[in-house]
Amino acid sequence: LEFRRVLFRSLSAEIPARIPGTLPAEPQAKSRENLVHSLHDEVLARLREFIVEGNLAPGARVPERLLCERFGISRTPLREALKVLASEGLIDLLPNRGARVRRIGEGEIIELFDVMGGLEALAGRLACDAVVISDSTMFAPGVPSILSSLRGLAYFEVTVRGPASDLHSGMYGGAVVNPAMALARALATLHDARGRIAIKGFYDRVKPFPAAVLKGMRKLPHSDAKFRKEVGVRALGGEAGKTTLEKLWTRPTCEVNGMLSGYTGEGAKTVLPAEAMAKVSFRLVPDQRPEDVERQLKSHLMKQLPASSGVTVQVTALHGGRPWRADLDGPLYDAARVALRAAFGRDPVIVGEGGSIPVVGDFERILKAPVLLVGFGLPGENAHAPDEWISVDNLRRGMRAMAMLYDEVAR
């Protein structure tokens, strides 16, 4: 409230003349509080746009006098707007009341996306020759790794509805279609007997991985027995005829992530549920697209549960991201191989990742720059858990490798 009072006292006399269009046709009808809000929002929006469009280079001092003249305002509203931009991460306030345009660093980009409305709006400030990301792991201790691919994601909620409300299974069971059973039968049709996804057209856009990459993956020291022990299962599944690493890194998948229906509390309650829901996700590989999978899944489920089945089905898309695959040729990857070899004393291996980082593909597409993913964590380091840790040796070697990478790229 004090800010509003100070801002209004300093600016109320100059608002109509300085910022055209800020006030409505009848300014006397607006309260002073609304007037201050209007001015503050106008100044903030124009200043933010001015900085993001690249009119000020990263690290440059914000020219307060020039901006006051440009926007036709006094320094008070300008400095208040600068405080907001500092909280958004666009600038840094200086001890002498000045400000500098912030150099965007690791950990800040996603927050800026939220503020600025997407990578496209920041493309000018993020223009670069290459993007280097350390959000991946090494294949094993002492084995430096270059990530060659990320799977995409298409995530859906599938809801099957039957009667208007839960029913007594003794009074209605056997005559009324059970939505939970109908959903279970439909989900069981998503794979065939060989573990392939049995949705028409699902594999049409799958782009084969290069033979050299697949050959390199087969040479990696992977043990199915150790893998089974780590995850606590007696046997592995998935697509027949593919190695475990191929299944994890190079092939698309379909998984049921959760199910909910009927009575799930303690004890017994004999209900015939009114609806059943399942969370279903697909991991995608190049060149599959989430929007295609949504259309294919809907068509498949509609065939399994037509109007005559006694239930209705609804598919809601919750999240999606496209897969990514690196072009392993070129100076960036040559430099990475040299740097990792020097830091770890051996050639790096090429690995894949079953998870998704959708922004990687966006970086390549929007910034027109190659992306290198090279990380120095290890499996088993409890990523994102309270006791997450990293090998000190890997940390040191990783720092050395990144310093060498920049030297090699600059040659």
Side-chain angles (χ1 to χ4, degrees):
L1 182 60
E2 182 61 25
F3 153 66
R4 293 173 181 171
R5 289 170 179 164
V6 172
L7 184 59
F8 181 80
R9 283 198 300 268
S10 63
L11 296 171
S12 58
E14 61 183 78
I15 293 174
R18 297 299 182 94
I19 304 184
T22 298
L23 297 179
E26 297 180 1
Q28 65 273 17
K30 265 199 169 184
S31 68
R32 289 190 172 192
E33 184 173 321
N34 289 338
L35 184 67
V36 172
H37 271 306
S38 179
L39 174 64
H40 179 261
D41 292 345
E42 174 77 12
V43 172
L44 185 60
R46 294 176 67 183
L47 181 58
R48 186 188 287 123
E49 180 181 10
F50 182 79
I51 292 175
V52 171
E53 286 183 348
N55 293 294
L56 297 175
R61 190 181 182 92
V62 176
E64 291 189 8
R65 183 175 179 179
L66 182 149
L67 291 176
C68 287
E69 294 176 355
R70 181 186 181 95
F71 299 151
I73 57 174
S74 67
R75 293 203 177 196
T76 300
L78 178 69
R79 286 172 177 167
E80 294 300 336
L82 290 176
K83 291 179 183 178
V84 176
L85 296 186
S87 71
E88 294 176 354
L90 286 176
I91 64 171
D92 290 312
L93 297 178
L94 302 177
N96 61 354
R97 301 185 70 181
R100 291 187 186 279
V101 178
R102 176 173 294 183
R103 298 181 186 275
I104 298 177
E106 183 179 359
E108 297 174 305
I109 292 177
I110 298 302
E111 285 78 3
L112 287 174
F113 287 172
D114 294 337
V115 172
M116 300 313 308
L119 179 59
E120 289 86 350
L122 289 167
R125 291 193 65 201
L126 294 174
C128 58
D129 298 311
V131 178
V132 180
I133 300 175
S134 288
D135 192 19
S136 54
T137 60
M138 295 165 53
F139 182 76
V143 183
S145 308
I146 295 175
L147 188 63
S148 66
S149 61
L150 292 162
R151 291 194 291 194
L153 178 66
Y155 200 113
F156 306 98
E157 182 174 293
V158 179
T159 304
V160 174
R161 296 184 175 89
S165 64
D166 288 354
L167 302 176
H168 190 292
S169 65
M171 298 174 64
Y172 297 96
V176 177
V177 176
N178 186 316
M181 295 297 294
L183 176 59
R185 287 195 298 269
L187 294 177
T189 68
L190 295 178
H191 294 86
D192 65 18
R194 293 182 55 81
R196 285 176 60 87
I197 297 167
I199 297 177
K200 184 178 180 180
F202 182 79
Y203 291 96
D204 287 353
R205 292 183 61 89
V206 171
K207 183 179 179 181
F209 270 67
V213 173
L214 294 177
K215 183 178 180 180
M217 289 179 181
R218 296 186 185 109
K219 291 182 178 179
L220 293 174
H222 170 80
S223 167
D224 275 0
K226 183 179 179 181
F227 184 71
R228 289 197 306 270
K229 185 177 180 180
E230 287 176 352
V231 298
V233 297
R234 296 183 178 181
L236 300 178
E239 192 174 350
K242 306 294 181 183
T243 68
T244 298
L245 293 183
E246 285 180 277
K247 296 173 188 176
L248 294 174
W249 296 346
T250 74
R251 300 300 294 169
T253 66
C254 170
E255 304 290 350
V256 175
N257 305 115
M259 300 179 69
L260 181 64
S261 184
Y263 180 69
T264 59
E266 293 184 6
K269 186 178 181 182
T270 55
V271 300
L272 191 158
E275 67 177 47
M277 181 274 290
K279 305 283 189 178
V280 180
S281 68
F282 296 81
R283 294 291 177 171
L284 312 180
V285 299
D287 288 324
Q288 290 180 301
R289 301 178 300 193
E291 57 269 28
D292 294 335
V293 176
E294 179 182 2
R295 184 181 64 255
Q296 294 160 356
L297 176 63
K298 287 181 178 179
S299 177
H300 180 87
L301 292 178
M302 292 298 180
K303 290 180 180 178
Q304 302 301 319
L305 301 172
S308 59
S309 66
V311 295
T312 62
V313 60
Q314 177 182 349
V315 177
T316 303
L318 300 180
H319 181 63
R322 293 195 180 189
W324 169 82
R325 186 185 302 173
D327 181 353
L328 298 174
D329 296 323
L332 177 62
Y333 282 86
D334 291 342
R337 291 183 179 96
V338 171
L340 291 170
R341 185 185 307 118
F344 285 86
R346 60 159 295 169
D347 289 333
V349 298
I350 304 300
V351 299
E353 170 59 59
S356 306
I357 312 178
V359 76
V360 171
D362 293 338
F363 280 143
E364 276 196 343
R365 176 175 56 85
I366 296 172
L367 302 183
K368 310 298 183 185
V371 179
L372 169 68
L373 279 98
V374 54
F376 304 100
L378 289 171
E381 290 184 341
N382 299 326
H384 303 314
D387 56 348
E388 181 175 1
W389 60 279
I390 187 171
S391 161
V392 174
D393 182 61
N394 281 353
L395 185 63
R396 290 171 176 162
R397 290 177 184 272
M399 289 189 289
R400 189 176 301 123
M402 299 310 290
M404 292 178 177
L405 172 67
Y406 296 135
D407 285 342
E408 287 296 322
V409 169
R411 292 183 188 279

